[in-house]
Amino acid sequence: MFFKRKESIIDPNIIKSIYAKDKIVRYAEFLAGLFLVSLSFNVFLLPSEVVYGVSGVAVILNKLYHLDPSFVILIGSIFLLLLSLIFLGKEKTANTVIGSLLYPVFVKLTEPISTVIDLGSTEPVVIALFGAAISGFGLGMIFKAGFTTGGTDILNQIVSKYFKMSIGNAMFFTDGIIVGISFFVFGFQKFMYSVISIYLISMMTDKVILGISQSKAFYIITEYETEVKKFILNYLSHGVTILDGRGGYTGDRQKVIMCIIPTKEYFVAKEGIKKIDPNAFFLVTDAYEVAGGE
């Protein structure tokens, strides 16, 4: 007897329902992230003259013309929102309005804190890196809550769409121009601070969004499939899934064992597989979230 597979119906309002979930928690996380990013900008990045994004433009113009950074960020954000409306449409623009307008407000509100915190004789590179870490943490909270601070993120999307390049290349292009200008304004040392800080901000943002990996995903190809499977099931007490694979060059069909192992058991799992089959091929990746399968 054959059963007709029941087709799933996708709710047309799925995006709205996602954003409606845990609203209070999300907004609290968003505001806390904005506070941290703004605090980091005023206390650490602005004094260190670290440049990235619209905030970087504010740092440069503050140095050259003594313009209020929050005012520059606000004007830049409004200009980019208008560009977003023209080139990306209403829907994409709506998702960035709140962050784009609140970020310069928070920068202005946290400005007095920079006069209270005395960094003394702290090394400039330490100040820059500490500020980058806090900023990255704050941005991670903002993105994890489903928001954005707008800024050059809008410009990246426009460049990606109309110049047919990836978001990563667009970021390299737009932020690269801003950071490159800092070389001529602040010199090579501050330029290096900015490059290192951008990397640290990106890394911290990813860590907050994804978390620290608690598990490893193993993909194993071995001639001793049964023995490896028993080792994982009986000795490590973890489930396995058998996938059908085919060699790209030979075309030979082979089984691929997939399993999720806690990071603390990574060494035992790896060495156990190698002990059973020294010629086993296996790929190990970080598994940031494991859900379902109960």
Side-chain angles (χ1 to χ4, degrees):
M1 183 180 287
F2 295 94
F3 294 93
K4 186 178 180 180
R5 186 182 172 209
K6 186 178 179 181
E7 292 185 9
S8 61
I9 300 173
I10 299 176
D11 183 357
N13 297 315
I14 187 170
I15 297 297
K16 288 184 179 179
S17 65
I18 290 170
Y19 280 110
K21 186 180 178 183
D22 301 325
K23 259 189 176 180
I24 296 176
V25 175
R26 285 179 50 245
Y27 273 97
E29 194 170 17
F30 166 59
L31 294 175
L34 271 180
F35 174 77
L36 287 176
V37 173
S38 304
L39 178 72
S40 172
F41 174 77
N42 280 309
V43 177
F44 303 105
L45 302 183
L46 180 60
S48 302
E49 297 173 336
V50 169
V51 170
Y52 76 96
V54 175
S55 300
V57 175
V59 173
I60 292 171
L61 293 180
N62 177 259
K63 173 73 173 181
L64 295 176
Y65 305 108
H66 306 290
L67 293 179
D68 183 354
S70 61
F71 176 74
V72 174
I73 294 171
L74 177 62
I75 297 300
S77 296
I78 293 173
F79 174 72
L80 288 169
L81 281 173
L82 291 174
L83 287 181
S84 177
L85 191 61
I86 295 168
F87 294 105
L88 300 177
K90 290 182 180 179
E91 189 175 337
K92 288 205 176 238
T93 304
N95 294 331
T96 61
V97 170
I98 297 176
S100 296
L101 298 180
L102 278 184
Y103 177 50
V105 172
F106 270 70
V107 169
K108 190 64 180 178
L109 291 175
T110 55
E111 190 178 309
I113 300 177
S114 62
T115 60
V116 177
I117 299 177
D118 181 20
L119 298 175
S121 58
T122 308
E123 289 290 333
V125 66
V126 175
I127 296 172
L129 294 179
F130 193 72
I134 294 176
S135 187
F137 189 86
L139 284 171
M141 292 178 70
I142 292 169
F143 295 149
K144 191 176 182 181
F147 294 92
T148 175
T149 56
T152 50
D153 287 340
I154 295 172
L155 200 56
N156 294 335
Q157 292 181 59
I158 294 172
V159 171
S160 175
K161 180 178 179 180
Y162 288 94
F163 290 89
K164 308 300 180 186
M165 62 174 69
S166 68
I167 288 290
N169 287 334
M171 287 174 63
F172 179 79
F173 177 74
T174 55
D175 285 327
I177 290 175
I178 296 171
V179 174
I181 293 172
S182 74
F183 173 79
F184 300 100
V185 178
F186 302 116
F188 186 67
Q189 187 180 46
K190 298 292 177 68
F191 169 77
M192 288 193 299
Y193 290 174
S194 294
V195 172
I196 296 170
S197 295
I198 289 172
Y199 175 76
L200 184 56
I201 288 170
S202 174
M203 187 174 66
M204 282 296 296
T205 300
D206 285 345
K207 288 297 180 186
V208 173
I209 294 172
L210 297 173
I212 297 172
S213 171
Q214 300 293 330
S215 304
K216 302 292 182 186
F218 277 74
Y219 297 87
I220 310 154
I221 298 175
T222 174
E223 294 180 2
Y224 299 89
E225 177 197 334
T226 303
E227 290 81 356
V228 170
K229 187 168 61 177
K230 284 183 178 179
F231 169 70
I232 296 169
L233 288 169
N234 300 333
Y235 290 89
L236 300 181
S237 300
H238 296 299
V240 300
T241 298
I242 307 300
L243 308 175
D244 288 320
R246 186 159 60 90
Y249 179 73
T250 63
D252 295 339
R253 295 194 174 277
Q254 49 201 353
K255 298 295 184 181
V256 181
I257 301 172
M258 186 195 77
C259 61
I260 305 297
I261 304 291
T263 300
K264 62 183 179 182
E265 297 178 25
Y266 163 73
F267 175 76
V268 176
K270 181 188 74 169
E271 293 302 319
I273 295 166
K274 289 169 66 177
K275 194 80 174 175
I276 295 169
D277 181 7
N279 297 318
F281 171 85
F282 57 90
L283 169 69
V284 184
T285 64
D286 286 320
Y288 290 100
E289 184 172 351
V290 180
E294 294 295 333

